[in-house]
Amino acid sequence: MDDAKNTWEVRKEAESLPVLGALCLFLSVVEYMLPKPLPFIRLGLANAPLLLALRLPPSAFFTLVLVKIFGQAFISGTLFSYVFLLSLSGTAFSASVMYVLRLAAPEKYISLVGISVSGAVVSNIIQITLARLFILGPGAMYIVPPVLGMGIVSGAALGLFCERFAAESRWYRGDAVEEDADFTPPRARTAGSSKKVLFDTEKLPPEPLFFAGVFMSAAMLFTNGLFIRAALFFVFFSAAALAGKCGNLLRT
């Protein structure tokens, strides 16, 4: 039973990374549509997945940090601008501080609210410092009070949300793990399913699935015309249906 649980915990970590990465990109899109006082100042919505990922190993956590940094840059179109450098610096420093705080202080001493506010303040300080040195000059000091105030408020709100999510989400807590000797990971339970599929993606290594996802995303993003995109959607939906992943076109 212990070996099975350990296997499921490892798989849980591996499967949570792409989910949190997708959430980073989604929240980056939402954040991109919201008004900002300055191009490099954000509310920090895309930091929510980072807070939820603090329990992951360092390699997985900082991989997610890179996904957030470059995903935001691609979405906002700032990859080759000074905004990207400011965002890179702020996110890298704040993520490092949040991860160190979680490692150094148990949950009973500092909550996700405190970690979130700390990360937001560090990010704002780094970005304002760089803006003063390279862009705005001494005038950057005038934006310190409103920017730090906004960072503290948004950081606290984000931390409260993540605290609530961590407490109530069965997926996040891993409650699906059963305390019995016959425990088997959920994916293993579906292996003997009677549902007929043309090909089983569960048997494929993750690399081709990753590149297939990249190809499908690029195909949808870089093609023009509603008809072409509708045709691509139909092809991708059919492939997913043949793999047994979906079957309700109206719901999709």
Side-chain angles (χ1 to χ4, degrees), residues 114-232:
I115 291 177
S116 178
V117 171
S118 301
V121 170
V122 168
S123 176
N124 288 338
I125 289 176
I126 293 296
Q127 291 180 337
I128 291 173
T129 301
L130 293 177
R132 184 187 188 283
L133 292 175
F134 301 109
I135 303 171
L136 301 177
M141 302 309 296
Y142 292 105
I143 67 172
V144 171
V147 169
L148 285 181
M150 183 181 69
I152 292 172
V153 172
S154 62
L158 202 65
L160 285 171
F161 168 80
C162 291
E163 284 277 1
R164 183 73 177 271
F165 180 86
E168 297 187 1
S169 171
R170 294 187 62 207
W171 170 80
Y172 185 77
R173 296 197 312 267
D175 287 354
V177 177
E178 298 179 1
E179 301 289 340
D180 65 313
D182 297 326
F183 170 79
T184 55
R187 291 179 65 164
R189 296 173 191 166
T190 60
S193 174
S194 59
K195 187 175 181 179
K196 301 299 183 181
V197 296
L198 185 63
F199 56 92
D200 187 3
T201 56
E202 303 290 349
K203 298 179 180 179
L204 295 176
E207 289 80 6
L209 295 177
F210 168 77
F211 286 110
V214 171
F215 169 77
M216 288 189 288
S217 300
M220 294 296 287
L221 286 172
F222 299 107
T223 54
N224 294 321
L226 182 60
F227 176 79
I228 297 177
R229 289 184 176 178
L232 287 173

